[in-house]
Amino acid sequence: MVNSTQVVYFTLTAYLDIGLYKYLCFLMLLCLYVLIICANLLFILAICCTRSLHEPMYMFLVSLFVNELYGSTGLFPMLLVQILSDVHTVSFPLCFLQIFCVYSYIGTEVLILAVMSYDRYLAICFPLQYVTCMTPKKVVVLIALTWLIPLCAIVVLISLSVSLQLCGNVINKVGCGNYSIVKLACSDTRVNNIYGLIYTVISMVFPFILIIFTYVKILEVCFSGSKQAREKAISTCTPHLASIANFSFGVCFQVLESRLGFNRLSPVFDIFSSLYYLTCQPLLNPLMYGLKLSKIRDTCKRLLGGGKVLQIV
């Protein structure tokens, strides 16, 4: 039996030997990471610097874009280092740091999307009461909760995993995952499994129930209202729905893959499923919102074109 304190590093075995092509993969992923950083920073700057965009919906978008930067940073630096390395190992502390970043990113993303659904529900279903319901103080509280709840929950999750006694240090992934480490344990993992199940239900199922409920109500209002109101609601909700669908697909598939062992089908398929939601979501969100929301799009054009941004704080 090997105690967890004796494990100083983990070996990641999902990396393929592609020879000199690793430099091409490194360059492609580096360009993708830079693009994600630039796109999200551009929209954060556009919203923060424009007074007319200081509305609840756009404040939630800032939180969403900050989370995309946070999540991608939890993946790309380590991934880029591993691609160029001949020996794919990661130290014990860095492995759990990546787990903390990635898992808290997922929890925060789900809660932000749920809060944004609630915001759209109030704006479309109760437009006259929206200003009094969604006050600046309430916006700050909601944003704070979407970050604090996942961070605290993941601290507990990692504390339970760090205390496990491990019988090995081989992870069949391109990155660190909590369940992959739990499977290496030779001590009792019932507490870990129960907590993981409870956290998954609370952090995933409940927010998605809220999202489904709000959009059912939104659709009822849209179909019963005028054509102009319906088009306006669709224009603001479409990128949000696309973001929810994309993120749900990536996370659900990754959970099923890790629990049911789909990685046995194809190593390439395993790598794709592991990286999908941490690469596509941070890039897709700014592109979708930038294309669909005219206020953000126009502000970004002025920023990129060197023109004066109106109503700068």
Side-chain angles (χ1 to χ4, degrees):
M1 182 177 294
V2 182
N3 192 280
S4 61
T5 56
Q6 296 175 327
V7 175
V8 295
Y9 67 89
F10 294 97
T11 301
L12 308 174
T13 62
Y15 287 90
L16 303 176
D17 184 11
I18 54 177
L20 295 178
Y21 286 108
K22 67 181 182 181
Y23 297 105
L24 177 61
C25 291
F26 174 86
L27 184 61
M28 292 173 61
L29 287 173
L30 179 61
C31 291
L32 178 61
Y33 183 39
V34 172
L35 182 60
I36 288 172
I37 293 175
C38 292
N40 284 279
L41 283 178
L42 174 63
F43 288 105
I44 292 171
L45 181 64
I47 294 172
C48 292
C49 291
T50 309
R51 190 185 300 275
S52 61
L53 297 181
H54 291 183
E55 302 173 4
M57 180 179 71
Y58 297 105
M59 292 298 101
F60 293 135
L61 280 177
V62 169
S63 182
L64 183 69
F65 296 146
V66 170
N67 192 49
E68 305 305 352
L69 292 173
Y70 172 66
S72 57
T73 301
L75 168 72
F76 278 97
M78 184 181 295
L79 182 64
L80 291 170
V81 170
Q82 292 296 331
I83 287 176
L84 294 181
S85 301
D86 295 324
V87 180
H88 306 294
T89 60
V90 56
S91 66
F92 188 89
L94 283 180
C95 190
F96 278 99
L97 177 61
Q98 185 179 53
I99 292 173
F100 176 81
C101 293
V102 172
Y103 280 50
S104 56
Y105 158 77
I106 295 172
T108 302
E109 188 86 357
V110 174
L111 289 181
I112 293 175
L113 292 174
V115 168
M116 292 175 68
S117 298
Y118 174 67
D119 175 72
R120 291 299 84 206
Y121 164 71
L122 291 178
I124 295 172
C125 299
F126 304 97
L128 299 179
Q129 294 85 14
Y130 178 75
V131 176
T132 56
C133 291
M134 194 59 71
T135 61
K137 182 179 179 180
K138 188 172 184 178
V139 171
V140 172
V141 171
L142 288 173
I143 291 175
L145 289 176
T146 59
W147 284 87
L148 289 175
I149 292 174
L151 291 176
C152 294
I154 299 306
V155 167
V156 177
L157 182 73
I158 290 178
S159 299
L160 292 173
S161 298
V162 168
S163 62
L164 289 173
Q165 293 177 326
L166 304 181
C167 292
N169 66 341
V170 177
I171 299 176
N172 299 317
K173 297 287 182 181
V174 294
C176 295
N178 184 70
Y179 187 65
S180 298
I181 293 177
V182 171
K183 289 192 294 185
L184 297 174
C186 43
S187 57
D188 190 4
T189 61
R190 282 179 296 181
V191 176
N192 301 73
N193 293 327
I194 292 173
Y195 181 81
L197 179 61
I198 293 174
Y199 174 72
T200 301
V201 172
I202 295 176
S203 65
M204 297 292 175
V205 177
F206 287 173
F208 279 114
I209 290 175
L210 175 62
I211 291 171
I212 292 171
F213 170 79
T214 54
Y215 271 99
V216 168
K217 295 299 181 181
I218 289 173
L219 288 174
E220 289 178 357
V221 173
C222 287
F223 284 112
S224 62
S226 64
K227 182 180 179 181
Q228 183 179 3
R230 182 162 58 249
E231 290 177 350
K232 183 179 180 181
I234 291 174
S235 66
T236 58
C237 293
T238 298
H240 185 233
L241 284 172
S243 178
I244 292 171
N246 180 69
F247 186 73
S248 301
F249 170 78
V251 171
C252 290
F253 194 83
Q254 176 61 18
V255 170
L256 291 174
E257 186 273 335
S258 63
R259 294 283 175 170
L260 301 180
F262 290 164
N263 58 311
R264 299 171 186 173
L265 298 177
S266 169
V268 177
F269 187 70
D270 175 43
I271 294 172
F272 174 79
S273 64
S274 299
L275 302 180
Y276 178 82
Y277 66 96
L278 282 169
T279 54
C280 291
Q281 187 75 0
L283 184 61
L284 187 65
N285 273 339
L287 292 178
M288 286 189 303
Y289 285 105
L291 292 173
K292 292 296 294 182
L293 300 181
S294 59
K295 287 185 178 181
I296 296 181
R297 184 173 64 248
D298 294 341
T299 303
C300 289
K301 285 181 180 178
R302 288 193 291 270
L303 284 172
L304 294 175
K308 183 179 180 180
V309 180
L310 299 178
Q311 297 176 319
I312 294 182
V313 176

